[in-house]
Amino acid sequence: MTQLPIEHTVTFQLSHPAGSAAESEFLAAAAELASIPNVHNFQIRRQTSPKNPHRFGISMWFETAEHFAAYCDHPAHVEFVQERWLKEVTDFQESDFEPLA
């Protein structure tokens, strides 16, 4: 795999009960973010370690800082954050990584 310059990751805890329809609907809405231009290797994952209280994680890659900035400002991302994320996520940790070399 070619290393892309920016990996955007977020782990999070939802307000919804595990396995609920509301949880599934949130994850389905989050999956739509993969269709935003210049998003690569989009994945939603379930947490398996008891060391982390967050149940889910999302990761994606961007080829340039400009692509990442465009994603952050994209209307679909902004709407998802305003209409879903801020209302349904109770805790999260966001990290953005670039290769060392």
Side-chain angles (χ1 to χ4, degrees):
M1 178 178 105
T2 301
Q3 283 288 334
L4 299 176
I6 297 176
E7 178 186 11
H8 171 61
T9 65
V10 63
T11 63
F12 57 97
Q13 181 65 31
L14 292 172
S15 60
H16 311 301
S20 67
E23 178 186 80
S24 295
E25 290 166 7
F26 178 91
L27 296 173
E32 294 177 18
L33 297 172
S35 67
I36 294 175
N38 300 307
V39 171
H40 300 279
N41 303 330
F42 183 95
Q43 295 184 25
I44 298 177
R45 300 177 185 176
R46 185 177 315 276
Q47 178 62 253
T48 59
S49 172
K51 298 176 192 175
N52 188 328
H54 297 159
R55 289 187 38 83
F56 297 100
I58 297 173
S59 66
M60 63 195 80
W61 290 83
F62 298 92
E63 293 176 356
T64 66
E66 292 78 16
H67 288 170
F68 178 49
Y71 166 82
C72 292
D73 294 336
H74 192 279
H77 178 258
V78 172
E79 180 181 0
F80 176 78
V81 169
Q82 293 298 315
E83 298 300 319
R84 303 298 302 254
W85 189 267
L86 294 176
K87 297 175 183 178
E88 301 175 61
V89 172
T90 59
D91 191 37
F92 73 96
Q93 175 66 51
E94 181 176 333
S95 299
D96 302 304
F97 297 101
E98 296 181 17
L100 291 176

